[in-house]
Amino acid sequence: MHDKKTSYMSKGVALLALVATAPAAALDINFYGSFRVAGEYVDPDNQAALDSYTGLRDAYSRIGVNFEHAFNDSVTGYAKLELPLDIANLAVQDPWDQSEDIRIGKVGLKGKYGDIAIGQMWLPYYNAIAYPVDMFSSYYSGFATYTSFRKGDTVTYYSPSFNGFSFGAAFSKDNGWTDQDDRYQATLSYKIDNLTIAGGVDDFAGDDNVRLWGLSGAWQATDQIYIGAKIETFDSDITSGYGADGDIAANLYGGYTMGKHTFKGMIAQVDNYGETIAHVGYDFQYNKDLKFFAEYYFEETTAAITTKRGGFAETCYACDGGNVFTVGLRYDFSAP
């Protein structure tokens, strides 16, 4: 049987080799990193399931390298490798999915006809629908959605903009509702001035025919004011529990920037995954590389709260939600 995974990987390796062996003078290489760590106080509602604790938690630190080579005026090849760093646990792993030791590993081609890539990468549905409200600095950012951020064994395509319209699509092997189901995504965005509106579908497939439909808006109202909103709904054969037909995740986010200071707030309702969620934060951009942040996070039922320095596998669903106070810093660097 033809192995699609092997086929995708061999094509990806071939393109990476092509980019990496380009003439040195024409090959752009950029190393970068971001160290993000915070102290936190976690106060679950059900203390019988998990006592309150203070501790250190990573906020998605990473190091990576970009390769880029222009073959001609129309086509540029590129490759990206990005590793997660869990500073709190002194490990090369994602702090949430602690089995993940590669954040991004992709190769691609981009030009006037769009951008096509293969490997592990951010998904179009997240970029178009979930990202407009995923604006916080701590570990607790990004939980108020049903979609996935990144997946491997994936092919993506992003179109150029046509009179403000653009679209994205993805095929992800064995990353659907179960690890035997393939996954498909499609998004359509329209940008006019400082407003972007997007719609999309995340098709998990499987025996329960699970699809996630989403609509988002991102509005940079002024230089200081940003407003983001999204709504997602499951369309499935599931009658109760996570993924139930008709379940909704709705978010409203607002941010206000005044010089080096940014104030943030979000309210969300996520059925069967956190229920009512409130998140507020403050960022102080000390200089272009260093940021300090402080946040408060509340969830009515458990979505994010986990054990001390734990991740997804240790999620405390019996905690019945709770409160988190966190203070930390983020330091970004790149070379050359």
Side-chain angles (χ1 to χ4, degrees):
M1 180 182 293
H2 181 64
D3 186 338
K4 288 185 178 179
K5 280 189 178 181
T6 301
S7 175
Y8 295 157
M9 184 60 71
S10 62
K11 291 177 182 177
V13 170
L15 183 54
L16 177 59
L18 185 61
V19 173
T21 56
L27 181 64
D28 292 326
I29 303 175
N30 170 249
F31 295 92
Y32 65 92
S34 184
F35 299 149
R36 312 175 183 197
V37 66
E40 63 177 2
Y41 172 68
V42 179
D43 184 31
D45 282 349
N46 184 357
Q47 302 267 320
L50 180 67
D51 287 336
S52 298
Y53 65 83
T54 57
L56 196 66
R57 188 170 295 278
D58 188 85
Y60 311 107
S61 300
R62 76 288 304 264
I63 56 172
V65 58
N66 290 308
F67 300 90
E68 190 169 290
H69 172 66
F71 294 107
N72 53 48
D73 291 341
S74 300
V75 179
T76 297
Y78 64 88
K80 183 185 189 80
L81 176 63
E82 185 176 285
L83 304 180
L85 297 178
D86 185 346
I87 293 174
N89 288 304
L90 300 178
V92 179
Q93 63 184 27
D94 183 82
W96 180 76
D97 181 359
Q98 297 187 357
S99 67
E100 182 184 82
D101 56 9
I102 295 178
R103 279 175 58 90
I104 300 174
K106 68 174 182 176
V107 292
L109 293 171
K110 60 184 178 180
K112 64 180 181 179
Y113 297 110
D115 185 327
I116 187 167
I118 183 170
Q120 175 155 316
M121 68 199 85
W122 295 91
L123 298 176
Y125 181 94
Y126 166 80
N127 289 336
I129 306 301
Y131 178 71
V133 297
D134 187 5
M135 297 290 169
F136 290 91
S137 299
S138 74
Y139 169 87
Y140 298 90
S141 185
F143 282 87
T145 181
Y146 293 130
T147 196
S148 302
F149 298 159
R150 303 175 301 275
K151 286 294 181 182
D153 299 309
T154 297
V155 179
T156 64
Y157 172 75
Y158 295 92
S159 78
S161 178
F162 303 98
N163 297 318
F165 288 95
S166 60
F167 66 89
F171 167 76
S172 194
K173 178 67 176 172
D174 298 336
N175 286 314
W177 197 243
T178 73
D179 58 11
Q180 284 81 46
D181 302 316
D182 296 335
R183 188 170 183 174
Y184 302 85
Q185 294 187 352
T187 63
L188 178 66
S189 300
Y190 178 66
K191 187 177 190 306
I192 179 170
D193 297 327
N194 295 322
L195 174 66
T196 300
I197 299 171
V201 59
D202 188 356
D203 189 343
F204 296 85
D207 292 339
D208 293 315
N209 300 308
V210 181
R211 288 188 180 91
L212 180 63
W213 298 90
L215 182 67
S216 73
W219 182 33
Q220 190 69 53
T222 69
D223 289 342
Q224 293 78 34
I225 299 172
Y226 170 82
I227 298 172
K230 78 161 176 68
I231 186 167
E232 304 171 282
T233 184
F234 272 121
D235 173 13
S236 74
D237 296 335
I238 300 172
T239 58
S240 62
Y242 185 83
D245 184 52
D247 273 4
I248 287 175
N251 312 55
L252 179 62
Y253 170 92
Y256 178 75
T257 298
M258 181 176 59
K260 295 184 176 183
H261 310 274
T262 299
F263 303 89
K264 308 174 178 183
M266 185 188 73
I267 187 73
Q269 179 66 35
V270 187
D271 295 337
N272 279 307
Y273 193 63
E275 299 296 335
T276 300
I277 294 172
H279 200 166
V280 295
Y282 164 70
D283 288 351
F284 175 64
Q285 193 73 50
Y286 179 75
N287 57 36
K288 68 180 184 67
D289 301 318
L290 180 62
K291 176 193 293 183
F292 298 95
F293 61 85
E295 294 180 9
Y296 166 72
Y297 173 83
F298 162 82
E299 56 187 18
E300 182 181 6
T301 62
T302 298
I305 287 178
T306 183
T307 59
K308 191 174 184 177
R309 293 194 300 276
F312 166 71
E314 295 78 31
T315 300
C316 183
Y317 293 108
C319 283
D320 298 329
N323 304 272
V324 178
F325 300 88
T326 181
V327 178
L329 62 85
R330 167 178 169 173
Y331 178 75
D332 300 323
F333 63 91
S334 63

